[in-house]
Amino acid sequence: REMVSAELLRSARTVCEIGSGTGQYLEKVMALAKPVTYEVYETDPRWAKFLRTQYSGTGPALFVRPADGSSLRQTRSGSCDLVHAHAVFVYLPLLLTLGYLKECVRVCRPGGHIMFDCFTERSLGLAQAEAWLAGEDRFPVAIPTTVLEEFIRAERLELVRTFPMLY
């Protein structure tokens, strides 16, 4: 919904997704954006095989790239209109997330878009941490907002929009 609202899919002819998993975002982006090529980096070999089997030949040229868990090395620099990751940077350590974000910047074409979700200290305060502690999951990792803001400035990016996500 947010991708549509921000008009990120209107000109997304080349798409790269990090951590496609079950394909729920892949399927929606393919249907709405109708890209020419869609690249996937999925570290779980079973999900990668599923994605290849389920979505090859159903629309754009699908490339399930070898995933090393830290780079987008098979993707050419400046080649993607949209680079996105959902429910990935919420559990990765800060430096791994920043490394991936640098890769996103590298492969994103000028005027393209990068979309991802993450926890910050604003979205993962004590009350939220207590709620997580009451459950079984222990994956949330918060990225300091100041680090994200510095990264955006250093990479000369423009923050288009933020919005809350429920987990």
Side-chain angles (χ1 to χ4, degrees):
R1 187 173 59 239
E2 293 292 336
M3 292 170 84
V4 171
S5 174
E7 298 187 357
L8 302 185
L9 303 179
R10 191 173 48 166
S11 60
R13 297 293 157 245
T14 55
V15 176
C16 180
E17 183 177 0
I18 302 167
S20 302
T22 64
Q24 68 180 4
Y25 285 95
L26 178 149
E27 192 170 300
K28 289 176 179 130
V29 170
M30 279 185 170
L32 294 169
K34 300 192 181 356
V36 176
T37 60
Y38 201 109
E39 296 186 51
V40 167
Y41 286 85
E42 174 54 58
T43 58
D44 185 306
R46 292 168 297 170
W47 282 125
K49 180 180 178 184
F50 167 78
L51 294 165
R52 197 176 292 111
T53 303
Q54 184 72 21
Y55 296 104
S56 289
T58 63
L62 177 68
F63 298 96
V64 179
R65 302 292 193 194
D68 59 16
S70 63
S71 76
L72 307 174
R73 76 175 63 180
Q74 297 290 318
T75 303
R76 286 184 335 209
S77 296
S79 65
C80 297
D81 297 308
L82 174 64
V83 185
H84 63 114
H86 307 274
V88 175
F89 302 153
V90 297
Y91 66 84
L92 293 181
L94 174 64
L95 295 179
L96 208 50
T97 294
L98 286 176
Y100 260 133
L101 288 175
K102 282 186 168 289
E103 282 287 274
C104 291
V105 171
R106 180 186 66 77
V107 303
C108 193
R109 71 162 177 76
H113 294 92
I114 299 167
M115 182 176 190
F116 61 92
D117 56 340
C118 67
F119 294 117
T120 67
E121 75 281 0
R122 294 176 188 157
S123 62
L124 192 61
L126 182 58
Q128 293 84 3
E130 293 287 350
W132 281 98
L133 286 170
E136 295 178 16
D137 293 317
R138 296 289 187 268
F139 67 83
V141 173
I143 299 174
T145 304
T146 55
V147 172
L148 283 176
E149 290 169 349
E150 286 179 54
F151 179 84
I152 289 167
R153 280 192 305 277
E155 296 294 335
R156 294 185 172 97
L157 301 175
E158 176 187 353
L159 179 62
V160 174
R161 156 184 318 199
T162 64
F163 56 91
M165 281 290 289
L166 297 178
Y167 276 84

